[in-house]
Amino acid sequence: MKEIRKKIKYFLLGLLGLIGALLIYGLIEPYIIDVEPQTASIPGLPASWVGQRVAVMGDWQVGMWLGNTPTIRRIVTRLVRERPAAVLIIGDFLYGAGKNAAEEINQSIELVRPLISSGIPTYAVLGNHDYGMKSKNGNPDVQQATKLAQALESVGVQVLENEAVILPSKIQQETPLYLVGVGSHWANNDKPAVALAQVPNTAPRFVMMHNPDTFAKFPASSSPVAVAGHTHGGQIRLPFTPEWSWLTFVEQGQVHADGWIKDYGAPGNQLYVNRGIGFSIVPIRINCLPEVTLFTLQRSPSA
Protein backbone atom coordinates (compact mmCIF):
# COMPACT_ATOMS: atom_id res chain seq x y z
CA MET A 1 0.00 0.00 0.00
CA LYS A 2 2.85 2.32 0.87
CA GLU A 3 4.49 1.59 -2.48
CA ILE A 4 1.26 2.40 -4.33
CA ARG A 5 0.92 5.73 -2.50
CA LYS A 6 4.51 6.52 -3.40
CA LYS A 7 3.87 5.83 -7.08
CA ILE A 8 0.73 7.98 -7.02
CA LYS A 9 2.69 10.78 -5.38
CA TYR A 10 5.40 10.70 -8.06
CA PHE A 11 2.78 10.51 -10.79
CA LEU A 12 0.98 13.57 -9.46
CA LEU A 13 4.24 15.48 -9.06
CA GLY A 14 5.20 14.58 -12.62
CA LEU A 15 1.78 15.66 -13.86
CA LEU A 16 2.06 18.99 -12.03
CA GLY A 17 5.54 19.47 -13.49
CA LEU A 18 4.24 18.79 -16.99
CA ILE A 19 1.35 21.24 -16.56
CA GLY A 20 3.75 23.85 -15.21
CA ALA A 21 6.12 23.37 -18.15
CA LEU A 22 3.22 23.69 -20.61
CA LEU A 23 2.05 26.90 -18.95
CA ILE A 24 5.55 28.38 -19.12
CA TYR A 25 5.87 27.38 -22.76
CA GLY A 26 2.38 28.79 -23.40
CA LEU A 27 3.68 32.20 -22.29
CA ILE A 28 6.71 31.89 -24.58
CA GLU A 29 5.08 30.59 -27.78
CA PRO A 30 3.17 33.83 -28.52
CA TYR A 31 6.52 35.50 -29.26
CA ILE A 32 7.44 32.94 -31.94
CA ILE A 33 6.29 34.08 -35.39
CA ASP A 34 5.11 31.62 -38.01
CA VAL A 35 5.35 33.12 -41.51
CA GLU A 36 3.12 30.67 -43.36
CA PRO A 37 3.76 30.54 -47.16
CA GLN A 38 0.70 29.62 -49.21
CA THR A 39 -0.35 29.69 -52.84
CA ALA A 40 -3.61 31.35 -53.88
CA SER A 41 -4.99 30.23 -57.25
CA ILE A 42 -7.32 32.79 -58.79
CA PRO A 43 -9.16 32.28 -62.12
CA GLY A 44 -8.31 34.99 -64.65
CA LEU A 45 -5.59 36.54 -62.47
CA PRO A 46 -4.05 39.50 -64.35
CA ALA A 47 -0.51 38.98 -65.63
CA SER A 48 0.94 41.73 -63.45
CA TRP A 49 -0.33 39.94 -60.31
CA VAL A 50 1.08 36.50 -61.13
CA GLY A 51 3.82 35.79 -58.57
CA GLN A 52 2.92 38.79 -56.41
CA ARG A 53 2.56 38.27 -52.66
CA VAL A 54 -0.30 39.28 -50.39
CA ALA A 55 0.17 39.18 -46.62
CA VAL A 56 -2.68 38.40 -44.21
CA MET A 57 -2.78 38.89 -40.45
CA GLY A 58 -5.39 39.68 -37.82
CA ASP A 59 -6.82 39.20 -34.33
CA TRP A 60 -4.46 41.67 -32.67
CA GLN A 61 -6.74 42.01 -29.62
CA VAL A 62 -5.07 45.24 -28.50
CA GLY A 63 -6.12 46.07 -24.95
CA MET A 64 -6.16 42.56 -23.53
CA TRP A 65 -4.06 42.01 -20.40
CA LEU A 66 -0.56 40.88 -21.38
CA GLY A 67 -1.49 41.59 -24.99
CA ASN A 68 0.83 40.43 -27.76
CA THR A 69 1.76 43.83 -29.20
CA PRO A 70 5.53 43.06 -29.30
CA THR A 71 4.85 40.24 -31.77
CA ILE A 72 2.60 42.51 -33.85
CA ARG A 73 5.42 45.08 -34.08
CA ARG A 74 7.90 42.41 -35.16
CA ILE A 75 5.52 41.10 -37.82
CA VAL A 76 4.89 44.60 -39.17
CA THR A 77 8.65 45.25 -39.27
CA ARG A 78 9.15 42.01 -41.17
CA LEU A 79 6.42 42.87 -43.68
CA VAL A 80 7.97 46.27 -44.29
CA ARG A 81 11.19 44.43 -45.12
CA GLU A 82 9.42 41.76 -47.24
CA ARG A 83 7.35 44.38 -49.11
CA PRO A 84 4.32 42.34 -50.25
CA ALA A 85 2.06 43.86 -52.89
CA ALA A 86 -0.69 44.32 -50.27
CA VAL A 87 -1.37 43.66 -46.59
CA LEU A 88 -4.81 42.50 -45.42
CA ILE A 89 -5.79 42.82 -41.73
CA ILE A 90 -8.81 40.63 -41.03
CA GLY A 91 -10.32 42.28 -37.96
CA ASP A 92 -10.32 42.30 -34.17
CA PHE A 93 -7.84 45.13 -33.80
CA LEU A 94 -9.27 45.71 -30.31
CA TYR A 95 -10.11 43.35 -27.46
CA GLY A 96 -12.65 44.94 -25.12
CA ALA A 97 -12.17 48.69 -24.97
CA GLY A 98 -15.48 49.47 -23.25
CA LYS A 99 -16.74 53.04 -22.89
CA ASN A 100 -13.57 54.78 -24.06
CA ALA A 101 -11.64 53.05 -26.84
CA ALA A 102 -9.28 55.95 -27.55
CA GLU A 103 -6.16 54.38 -26.02
CA GLU A 104 -6.61 51.02 -27.76
CA ILE A 105 -7.44 52.69 -31.08
CA ASN A 106 -4.36 54.93 -30.87
CA GLN A 107 -2.19 51.93 -30.08
CA SER A 108 -3.60 50.05 -33.08
CA ILE A 109 -2.87 53.04 -35.32
CA GLU A 110 0.75 53.20 -34.16
CA LEU A 111 1.13 49.47 -34.83
CA VAL A 112 -0.13 49.75 -38.40
CA ARG A 113 1.51 53.08 -39.25
CA PRO A 114 4.87 51.64 -40.50
CA LEU A 115 3.04 49.73 -43.26
CA ILE A 116 1.49 52.93 -44.53
CA SER A 117 4.73 54.91 -44.18
CA SER A 118 6.52 52.31 -46.31
CA GLY A 119 3.94 52.66 -49.08
CA ILE A 120 2.45 49.16 -48.81
CA PRO A 121 -1.29 49.20 -49.72
CA THR A 122 -3.08 48.10 -46.57
CA TYR A 123 -6.71 47.03 -46.23
CA ALA A 124 -8.84 45.92 -43.29
CA VAL A 125 -12.21 44.58 -42.21
CA LEU A 126 -13.61 44.80 -38.69
CA GLY A 127 -14.31 41.92 -36.33
CA ASN A 128 -16.69 41.33 -33.44
CA HIS A 129 -14.30 42.71 -30.80
CA ASP A 130 -14.02 45.93 -32.78
CA TYR A 131 -17.75 46.26 -32.07
CA GLY A 132 -17.15 45.45 -28.38
CA MET A 133 -18.75 42.00 -28.77
CA LYS A 134 -17.31 39.11 -26.76
CA SER A 135 -20.31 36.88 -27.45
CA LYS A 136 -22.74 36.32 -30.30
CA ASN A 137 -25.62 37.61 -28.19
CA GLY A 138 -23.99 40.93 -27.30
CA ASN A 139 -25.03 44.32 -28.60
CA PRO A 140 -22.70 45.78 -31.23
CA ASP A 141 -21.05 49.06 -30.27
CA VAL A 142 -21.35 50.75 -33.65
CA GLN A 143 -19.87 53.98 -32.30
CA GLN A 144 -16.67 52.23 -31.22
CA ALA A 145 -16.37 50.43 -34.56
CA THR A 146 -16.93 53.68 -36.44
CA LYS A 147 -14.23 55.48 -34.44
CA LEU A 148 -11.78 52.67 -35.17
CA ALA A 149 -12.60 52.63 -38.89
CA GLN A 150 -12.26 56.41 -39.15
CA ALA A 151 -8.91 56.35 -37.33
CA LEU A 152 -7.60 53.63 -39.65
CA GLU A 153 -8.80 55.49 -42.73
CA SER A 154 -7.16 58.70 -41.49
CA VAL A 155 -3.70 57.12 -41.63
CA GLY A 156 -4.25 55.37 -44.97
CA VAL A 157 -5.73 51.96 -44.16
CA GLN A 158 -8.72 51.30 -46.40
CA VAL A 159 -11.47 49.71 -44.29
CA LEU A 160 -13.89 47.62 -46.37
CA GLU A 161 -17.43 47.20 -45.09
CA ASN A 162 -19.25 45.06 -47.65
CA GLU A 163 -17.24 46.72 -50.38
CA ALA A 164 -15.06 45.80 -53.34
CA VAL A 165 -12.06 47.80 -54.55
CA ILE A 166 -9.59 47.37 -57.39
CA LEU A 167 -6.11 46.53 -56.18
CA PRO A 168 -3.44 48.84 -57.63
CA SER A 169 -1.64 47.48 -60.69
CA LYS A 170 1.45 48.52 -62.62
CA ILE A 171 -0.35 47.83 -65.90
CA GLN A 172 -3.28 50.17 -66.46
CA GLN A 173 -5.04 48.47 -69.36
CA GLU A 174 -5.29 44.90 -68.03
CA THR A 175 -8.25 43.25 -66.31
CA PRO A 176 -8.32 44.45 -62.69
CA LEU A 177 -7.98 42.28 -59.60
CA TYR A 178 -10.69 43.05 -57.04
CA LEU A 179 -10.44 42.86 -53.28
CA VAL A 180 -13.77 42.09 -51.61
CA GLY A 181 -14.16 42.94 -47.92
CA VAL A 182 -17.16 41.81 -45.83
CA GLY A 183 -18.40 43.24 -42.52
CA SER A 184 -18.64 41.64 -39.07
CA HIS A 185 -20.73 38.49 -38.75
CA TRP A 186 -21.57 38.88 -35.06
CA ALA A 187 -22.57 42.52 -35.59
CA ASN A 188 -25.01 41.25 -38.25
CA ASN A 189 -23.16 43.32 -40.81
CA ASP A 190 -21.77 40.66 -43.15
CA LYS A 191 -23.41 41.13 -46.54
CA PRO A 192 -21.47 39.32 -49.27
CA ALA A 193 -24.18 39.98 -51.85
CA VAL A 194 -23.72 43.73 -51.42
CA ALA A 195 -19.96 43.49 -51.87
CA LEU A 196 -20.12 41.03 -54.78
CA ALA A 197 -22.58 43.26 -56.63
CA GLN A 198 -19.68 45.69 -57.08
CA VAL A 199 -17.59 43.09 -58.93
CA PRO A 200 -18.18 42.03 -62.58
CA ASN A 201 -19.27 38.39 -62.68
CA THR A 202 -16.12 37.01 -64.33
CA ALA A 203 -13.62 39.38 -62.73
CA PRO A 204 -10.82 37.88 -60.61
CA ARG A 205 -11.14 38.57 -56.91
CA PHE A 206 -9.56 37.96 -53.49
CA VAL A 207 -12.01 37.95 -50.58
CA MET A 208 -11.44 38.90 -46.93
CA MET A 209 -13.70 38.62 -43.88
CA HIS A 210 -13.30 38.23 -40.13
CA ASN A 211 -15.52 35.30 -39.20
CA PRO A 212 -15.34 32.00 -41.14
CA ASP A 213 -19.12 31.60 -40.68
CA THR A 214 -19.60 34.40 -43.23
CA PHE A 215 -18.06 32.19 -45.92
CA ALA A 216 -21.15 29.98 -46.05
CA LYS A 217 -23.13 32.93 -47.46
CA PHE A 218 -21.08 33.16 -50.68
CA PRO A 219 -22.70 31.76 -53.84
CA ALA A 220 -20.88 29.08 -55.82
CA SER A 221 -17.68 30.19 -57.59
CA SER A 222 -17.98 33.73 -56.21
CA SER A 223 -15.06 33.36 -53.79
CA PRO A 224 -12.23 31.29 -55.34
CA VAL A 225 -9.83 32.47 -52.61
CA ALA A 226 -11.04 33.88 -49.28
CA VAL A 227 -9.34 34.53 -45.95
CA ALA A 228 -10.78 34.79 -42.45
CA GLY A 229 -9.59 34.80 -38.83
CA HIS A 230 -11.54 34.94 -35.54
CA THR A 231 -10.68 31.46 -34.27
CA HIS A 232 -7.04 32.05 -33.18
CA GLY A 233 -6.53 28.53 -34.52
CA GLY A 234 -7.96 27.23 -31.25
CA GLN A 235 -5.14 28.99 -29.33
CA ILE A 236 -4.50 25.93 -27.10
CA ARG A 237 -4.20 22.68 -29.05
CA LEU A 238 -3.13 19.17 -28.20
CA PRO A 239 0.30 18.28 -29.62
CA PHE A 240 0.23 16.32 -32.89
CA THR A 241 -3.56 16.77 -33.10
CA PRO A 242 -4.17 20.40 -34.13
CA GLU A 243 -7.83 19.66 -34.86
CA TRP A 244 -8.35 19.15 -31.11
CA SER A 245 -8.37 22.43 -29.24
CA TRP A 246 -10.45 24.19 -26.60
CA LEU A 247 -12.67 25.34 -29.50
CA THR A 248 -13.60 21.73 -30.15
CA PHE A 249 -15.19 21.50 -26.71
CA VAL A 250 -16.75 24.96 -26.25
CA GLU A 251 -18.12 25.60 -29.74
CA GLN A 252 -21.26 23.90 -30.96
CA GLY A 253 -21.25 22.63 -34.52
CA GLN A 254 -18.33 22.33 -36.91
CA VAL A 255 -15.16 24.24 -36.06
CA HIS A 256 -13.18 25.87 -38.88
CA ALA A 257 -10.03 26.52 -36.88
CA ASP A 258 -7.16 27.22 -39.30
CA GLY A 259 -5.59 26.51 -42.66
CA TRP A 260 -7.49 25.58 -45.81
CA ILE A 261 -10.96 24.40 -44.80
CA LYS A 262 -12.06 21.37 -46.79
CA ASP A 263 -15.66 20.61 -47.77
CA TYR A 264 -16.96 23.96 -46.54
CA GLY A 265 -18.88 26.53 -48.50
CA ALA A 266 -20.40 26.40 -51.96
CA PRO A 267 -18.64 24.66 -54.88
CA GLY A 268 -15.81 26.66 -56.43
CA ASN A 269 -15.08 28.55 -53.22
CA GLN A 270 -12.00 28.13 -51.00
CA LEU A 271 -11.41 29.50 -47.50
CA TYR A 272 -8.16 29.88 -45.59
CA VAL A 273 -8.38 30.64 -41.85
CA ASN A 274 -5.47 32.53 -40.30
CA ARG A 275 -4.52 31.75 -36.66
CA GLY A 276 -4.09 35.41 -35.73
CA ILE A 277 -1.62 36.99 -33.32
CA GLY A 278 -3.41 37.88 -30.09
CA PHE A 279 -5.50 36.04 -27.53
CA SER A 280 -8.92 35.54 -26.02
CA ILE A 281 -9.48 35.00 -22.28
CA VAL A 282 -5.90 33.92 -21.42
CA PRO A 283 -2.60 35.24 -22.86
CA ILE A 284 -1.33 31.78 -23.77
CA ARG A 285 -0.75 29.86 -26.98
CA ILE A 286 0.18 26.18 -27.03
CA ASN A 287 0.89 24.34 -30.28
CA CYS A 288 -0.69 27.29 -32.10
CA LEU A 289 1.94 29.83 -33.19
CA PRO A 290 0.95 33.42 -34.08
CA GLU A 291 0.61 33.52 -37.86
CA VAL A 292 1.13 35.90 -40.72
CA THR A 293 0.16 34.24 -44.00
CA LEU A 294 2.11 35.16 -47.11
CA PHE A 295 0.13 34.20 -50.22
CA THR A 296 1.84 33.96 -53.60
CA LEU A 297 -0.78 34.56 -56.28
CA GLN A 298 -1.05 32.36 -59.35
CA ARG A 299 -3.55 32.03 -62.16
CA SER A 300 -5.86 29.08 -61.71
CA PRO A 301 -5.76 26.63 -64.65
CA SER A 302 -9.56 26.38 -64.51
CA ALA A 303 -12.00 29.12 -65.34
Side-chain angles (χ1 to χ4, degrees), residues 214-238:
T214 296
F215 186 67
K217 297 184 177 184
F218 279 82
S221 301
S222 66
S223 181
V225 174
V227 291
H230 181 65
T231 68
H232 303 184
Q235 195 168 310
I236 299 173
R237 310 194 297 190
L238 295 178

Side-chain angles (χ1 to χ4, degrees), residues 17-83:
L18 177 61
I19 293 172
L22 282 173
L23 289 175
I24 292 170
Y25 175 75
L27 293 169
I28 296 171
E29 184 175 283
Y31 297 96
I32 305 171
I33 300 170
D34 179 18
V35 179
E36 184 68 37
Q38 294 290 337
T39 299
S41 298
I42 301 176
L45 184 70
S48 67
W49 278 94
V50 174
Q52 294 285 350
R53 296 178 303 165
V54 172
V56 176
M57 60 175 166
D59 294 292
W60 291 4
Q61 312 290 6
V62 172
M64 182 177 168
W65 61 293
L66 290 181
N68 206 16
T69 52
T71 300
I72 299 169
R73 290 192 188 95
R74 289 168 53 222
I75 288 175
V76 168
T77 299
R78 180 159 181 169
L79 290 178
V80 169
R81 187 171 65 248
E82 294 275 353
R83 297 204 63 80

Side-chain angles (χ1 to χ4, degrees), residues 8 36 55 74 108 140 153 159 163 183 191 199 208 219 224 239 259 263 283:
I8 292 173
E36 184 68 37
R74 289 168 53 222
S108 298
E153 292 272 1
V159 181
E163 298 174 74
K191 302 172 182 176
V199 183
M208 62 187 296
D263 302 321

Side-chain angles (χ1 to χ4, degrees), residues 241-286:
T241 56
E243 67 275 11
W244 288 95
S245 68
W246 72 272
L247 272 178
T248 310
F249 302 101
V250 303
E251 292 285 339
Q252 295 181 354
Q254 190 173 7
V255 176
H256 309 293
D258 75 313
W260 293 105
I261 310 302
K262 297 180 180 180
D263 302 321
Y264 177 50
N269 296 341
Q270 293 186 94
L271 176 66
Y272 185 93
V273 178
N274 176 283
R275 292 192 301 271
I277 300 170
F279 318 103
S280 279
I281 305 175
V282 292
I284 287 175
R285 280 178 176 262
I286 296 176

Side-chain angles (χ1 to χ4, degrees), residues 92 126-143 145-146 161-162 182-191 210-211 214 217 230:
D92 274 6
L126 300 186
N128 53 286
H129 281 277
D130 299 322
Y131 283 85
M133 299 181 70
K134 293 184 180 180
S135 71
K136 297 178 182 179
N137 299 322
N139 294 318
D141 187 340
V142 177
Q143 185 178 16
T146 300
E161 186 177 353
N162 303 310
V182 183
S184 170
H185 178 67
W186 282 14
N188 197 29
N189 192 33
D190 54 337
K191 302 172 182 176
H210 175 68
N211 194 315
T214 296
K217 297 184 177 184
H230 181 65

Side-chain angles (χ1 to χ4, degrees), residues 157-179:
V157 178
Q158 193 162 356
V159 181
L160 303 180
E161 186 177 353
N162 303 310
E163 298 174 74
V165 295
I166 295 174
L167 289 171
S169 172
K170 297 177 182 178
I171 303 176
Q172 299 298 320
Q173 302 302 319
E174 70 177 358
T175 302
L177 172 63
Y178 285 83
L179 175 64

